[in-house]
Amino acid sequence: TPLARMRFALTLLGKSDDLPTRTRLQERLQTDVEELEALVRASLAFARMAGAPTDLQYEPIPIRDWLHQEFALLDGHHRRLSLDTEPADLQLIGDRALLHLIVRNLLSNAITYARDQVCVSAARQDDQHLVLHVDDDGPGILAENREKVFEPFVRLAMGGDESGGFGLGLALAKRATQWHHGELSVTRSPLGGARMSLILPLRPL
């Protein structure tokens, strides 16, 4: 953990008179402080989502334009990102901040584990709902871990190995989806990796 590494680095720092070693340890400490701050921010964000929000701001959101804006905010890490919406003018009425929290975490997760490409598609599921798929061509998530991956502080990477991060991104997305009266699940993607499927009402319930 960051705290354990910081304690160890401080112990070594107190014993070393070698300038390069002290510089390296100080840089390590700075990195761990930043990681710890990120963990605190993520934990607070998750805690704030414990109760249903009472101040949701509903507005019409054109899906294609909105998702292009979400793409622009991301570091794609040289992954190929594609988007398909059917129909092209598909839209829903929702809370933009809550939807940003959901989709940002789904896209970040897909980009992290994709080998080369991430494909996002959105379409009407029926007269009252739309379904949005985020597909990647990574190693996927083992079937026995597909429920666990949405639990807070569970760090199960694609393929079953332990991941980086804090295990809060998908837990936040799941909780925000519930407050938006939607459903979030994971299956195997046609690309071979993971498919995150988000079902949302087209209008507030």
Side-chain angles (χ1 to χ4, degrees), residues 129-180:
H129 299 85
L130 67 79
V131 58
L132 186 148
H133 297 303
V134 179
D135 291 296
D136 68 67
D137 60 351
I141 300 176
L142 297 176
E144 59 267 30
N145 291 333
R146 289 176 184 168
E147 291 298 323
K148 295 178 185 177
V149 79
F150 295 112
E151 296 175 8
F153 301 108
V154 172
R155 305 192 323 174
L156 295 174
M158 308 303 188
D161 299 324
E162 185 174 296
S163 71
F166 309 118
L168 279 174
L170 292 179
L172 273 168
K174 181 80 168 184
R175 184 165 285 183
T177 298
Q178 293 169 345
W179 298 147
H180 218 287

Side-chain angles (χ1 to χ4, degrees), residues 33-88:
V33 166
E34 291 170 359
E35 182 179 343
L36 194 58
E37 287 176 340
L39 173 58
V40 170
R41 285 195 299 270
S43 299
L44 289 174
F46 188 75
R48 284 194 294 269
M49 296 294 293
T54 58
D55 57 347
L56 297 184
Q57 304 295 317
Y58 290 103
E59 61 179 291
I61 299 177
I63 298 300
R64 190 173 187 84
D65 291 345
W66 167 60
L67 288 173
H68 274 304
Q69 292 169 8
E70 293 291 339
F71 281 8
L73 295 172
L74 286 168
D75 180 352
H77 296 287
H78 306 293
R79 307 295 194 265
R80 290 187 291 129
L81 303 179
S82 65
L83 173 63
D84 179 55
T85 58
E86 181 61 39

Side-chain angles (χ1 to χ4, degrees), residues 113-128:
Y113 294 105
R115 293 189 178 94
D116 179 59
Q117 61 178 319
V118 173
C119 298
V120 180
S121 60
R124 285 182 178 271
Q125 186 185 53
D126 52 42
D127 289 341
Q128 296 182 329

